[in-house]
């Protein structure tokens, strides 16, 4: 095979051999430049990805430290007030129309609110969360008047994990 290629090469005129060699060198140089360009572009993309990943790693480290701090913090003491009384007082303070309030047990309270502004409802939920009372379930229905809703919800005491 090698001998056949050598004979084929030598059978060409010297001028043809120079042209073929020049074209092969030009093709080799162009291929090399194309590979270098692709590698440089890929390196730039990787550099951008590494910067993004480093930022995400720093954020994850901060979140992990916050998680450890929260885990080490003592559990908040449960409000000494009866849960039903606490929910009732927060609703009264926010001037929300409680239609019904039931306490099936010491740790759960079901409330029904008539026409209430949605923002006021969210305020009640936030105020109760500040007292370590969480919203367990809620059914919210939009009323005909803009911004008003009717709510049926169950609240429960937060338990330490």
């Amino acid at each position: 095979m090698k001998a056949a290629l050598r004979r084929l090469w030598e059978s060409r005129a010297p001028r043809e051999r120079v042209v073929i060699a020049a074209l092969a060198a030009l093709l080799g140089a162009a291929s090399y430049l194309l590979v270098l360009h692709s590698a440089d572009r890929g390196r730039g993309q990787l550099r951008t990805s590494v910067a993004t990943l480093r930022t995400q790693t720093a954020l994850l480290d901060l979140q992990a430290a916050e998680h450890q701090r929260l885990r080490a913090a003592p559990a908040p003491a449960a409000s000494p007030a009866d849960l039903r009384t606490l929910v009732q007082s927060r609703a009264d303070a926010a001037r929300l129309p409680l239609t019904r309030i039931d306490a099936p047990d010491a740790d759960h309270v079901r409330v029904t609110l008539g026409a209430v502004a949605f923002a006021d409802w969210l305020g009640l939920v936030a105020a109760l969360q500040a007292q370590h009372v969480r919203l367990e379930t809620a059914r919210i229905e939009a009323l005909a008047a803009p911004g008003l809703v009717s709510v049926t919800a169950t609240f429960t005491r937060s338990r330490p994990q």
Side-chain angles (χ1 to χ4, degrees):
M1 174 89 169
K2 197 174 183 181
L5 285 176
R6 186 155 183 81
R7 270 186 306 211
L8 181 63
W9 178 253
E10 290 175 356
S11 70
R12 300 276 177 207
R15 183 177 174 106
E16 285 180 356
R17 282 188 261 172
V18 168
V19 169
I20 291 172
L23 286 175
L26 185 62
L27 182 63
S31 297
Y32 181 74
L33 289 175
L34 182 64
V35 166
L36 281 180
H37 176 70
S38 295
D40 189 50
R41 188 177 55 205
R43 187 174 23 162
Q45 290 173 345
L46 286 174
R47 194 176 296 129
T48 302
S49 295
V50 166
T52 302
L53 289 172
R54 283 187 178 146
T55 302
Q56 290 174 348
T57 300
L59 180 61
L60 186 61
D61 288 342
L62 288 173
Q63 289 173 346
E66 177 69 8
H67 178 73
Q68 289 297 343
R69 186 188 68 76
L70 290 174
R71 260 192 140 32
S79 174
D82 175 48
L83 184 59
R84 183 178 192 280
T85 307
L86 179 64
V87 172
Q88 177 79 45
S89 66
R90 288 296 173 177
D92 290 344
R95 295 190 177 114
L96 297 179
L98 275 178
T99 308
R100 183 175 174 181
I101 184 165
D102 294 322
D105 58 48
D107 290 331
H108 292 86
V109 172
R110 276 190 224 115
V111 296
T112 304
L113 292 124
V116 62
F118 186 69
D120 293 341
W121 160 248
L122 292 178
L124 174 66
V125 172
L128 289 170
Q129 283 177 342
Q131 294 292 315
H132 308 291
V133 175
R134 69 180 173 90
L135 179 64
E136 189 170 86
T137 62
R139 192 177 105 231
I140 302 171
E141 296 177 5
L143 299 178
L148 292 183
V149 294
S150 101
V151 178
T152 303
T154 303
F155 291 98
T156 186
R157 287 193 191 277
S158 294
R159 293 286 176 207
Q161 300 288 346

